[in-house]
Amino acid sequence: MVKLESPVIVLNFKTYSQAVGEKAVEMAKICEEVAAQGIDIVVAPQIPDIYRVASRVNIPVFSQHVDGAGAGSFTGHITAEALRGSGSAGSIINHSERRLNIADIDAAVQKAHESELITILCTNNVNTTAACAALSPDFVAIEPPQLIGSGIPVSKADPGIVTDSVKAVKQISPGVRVLCGAGISKGEDLKAAIELGSEGVLLASGIIKAKDPRAAMQDLIKLI
Ligand code: G3P
């Protein structure tokens, strides 16, 4: 299992047309270039692009989703075993744009860990953060859905949700690490997120939709 050192930056490609197919490889190569400056950057392309991206870069490639299904008759499910074999080092689970119920989340986390995939469990408030921490993922990522894509960073708009989430996680599962996301795009947003106690950020539009993603990534890491 790859070791992610704080601060961790997770770039979620979502289904943005700027980061699909060969453009996903180009975006991942930009992240690889910036990561060479000594920071752990994870990329999360669409599932069909995982193998293509993982074969062309040396930074961790995560899936945007994994199911709790195992081998057998589970048509259309995404298994942890197949993701591992495609070169995934981990998976985001329960993103607000790909919500699961608690039983499916628990199954997905367990199957992911059986295949040595690192798990980032997304939550939307302090209560769900506390509940998800009890499922022992590697990371919990607090992301208020109303700020996603807004360009208004959670570290500025709602710092309390980050500090309270960190507190809740440390009370329930001290070994679980906390990320935050939504509206993060600049170096000051990342610095603020770290000062609030998180170990890194999840982000998407601020980089993927930037005129110059390389410059946007450089700006993101300039203060750490
Ligand atoms: O997974 C991170 C994502 O939901 C945040 O989106 O566009 O606000 O950076 P964005």
Side-chain angles (χ1 to χ4, degrees), residues 49-112:
D49 287 330
I50 289 176
Y51 182 75
R52 176 200 302 253
V53 171
S55 325
R56 307 261 291 276
V57 295
N58 288 317
I59 53 174
V61 179
F62 276 34
S63 181
Q64 295 177 19
H65 168 75
V66 60
D67 288 305
S73 50
F74 297 98
T75 304
H77 289 251
I78 307 286
T79 65
E81 186 189 3
L83 287 176
R84 192 86 180 106
S86 68
S88 285
S91 184
I92 295 168
I93 300 172
N94 193 48
H95 190 280
S96 65
E97 296 151 7
R98 186 70 173 80
R99 273 285 181 247
L100 300 174
N101 64 41
I102 193 85
D104 291 339
I105 294 172
D106 186 37
V109 169
Q110 288 190 40
K111 280 294 180 196

Side-chain angles (χ1 to χ4, degrees), residues 10 12 14 16 92 95-97 122 143 147-151 181-184 202-206:
V10 181
N12 180 358
K14 299 195 174 185
Y16 286 119
I92 295 168
H95 190 280
S96 65
E97 296 151 7
C122 291
E143 284 202 318
L147 294 174
I148 291 176
S150 69
I184 301 278
L202 254 65
L203 76 169
S205 55

